[in-house]
Amino acid sequence: MKMKQIGLKILMVSVMVTALMVSSCSSLNQVASNTSTTSQAYVSGQGFGTSLKSLYSSYKSEGKLDLSNATNLLNLATLATNASAIKGNMKNATFYKEFAAGAVNSNTLITNSNVGSIISAVSGLDLNSLVSNAKNNVSNATTTTTTNALISVLNTLAK
């Protein structure tokens, strides 16, 4: 009798977990379809994704992240600006969802499954000082650490 009750409980828990997963997936799709493509958050997310993809393309073609390249510096500055926007709004659910939707829709490298980890990783970097140091040809431990961390993020895009 107890074995039957345990089996029934496991079945009920499995059904509940499956129902939660289905409802959460459908609510994510609903959010994406209800997202304003002209909102500040969405446009920032697009800039974030586009600049990250451009940096990734440059990194993959050159085999390094050339911080003396003017295009890379511009993309890095754009990434820094948009990363600052999300960093200041991480707890604003509406802003975050719209930003994430913009990032996902900006390129094929950022997907619904990796957008959260990419936003978290990039917004945790001190990109503003990296841009400043790169523009002034300063190479220090902070620049190297931040550059290596950004390269690590770029490498995750290939997966």
Side-chain angles (χ1 to χ4, degrees), residues 74-119:
L74 179 61
N75 284 317
L76 189 58
T78 302
L79 183 64
T81 300
N82 292 306
S84 292
I86 191 61
K87 191 174 188 175
N89 286 289
M90 291 294 254
K91 293 185 180 180
N92 180 335
T94 302
F95 189 96
Y96 187 90
K97 286 177 187 175
E98 289 182 1
F99 185 95
V104 168
N105 290 329
S106 69
N107 69 65
T108 56
L109 296 174
I110 300 176
T111 63
N112 284 324
S113 62
N114 69 8
V115 68
S117 61
I118 290 172
I119 288 172

Side-chain angles (χ1 to χ4, degrees), residues 26-37 42 97 101 105 112:
S26 65
S27 68
L28 282 176
N29 290 336
Q30 225 172 13
V31 168
S33 65
N34 293 335
T35 301
S36 168
T37 58
Y42 187 88
K97 286 177 187 175
N105 290 329
N112 284 324

Side-chain angles (χ1 to χ4, degrees), residues 6-49:
I6 292 173
L8 183 60
K9 286 180 182 178
I10 290 173
L11 177 63
M12 291 183 70
V13 168
S14 297
V15 168
M16 288 174 27
V17 167
T18 303
L20 285 172
M21 288 173 59
V22 168
S23 68
S24 68
C25 288
S26 65
S27 68
L28 282 176
N29 290 336
Q30 225 172 13
V31 168
S33 65
N34 293 335
T35 301
S36 168
T37 58
T38 58
S39 72
Q40 176 191 1
Y42 187 88
V43 172
S44 289
Q46 281 190 312
F48 177 91

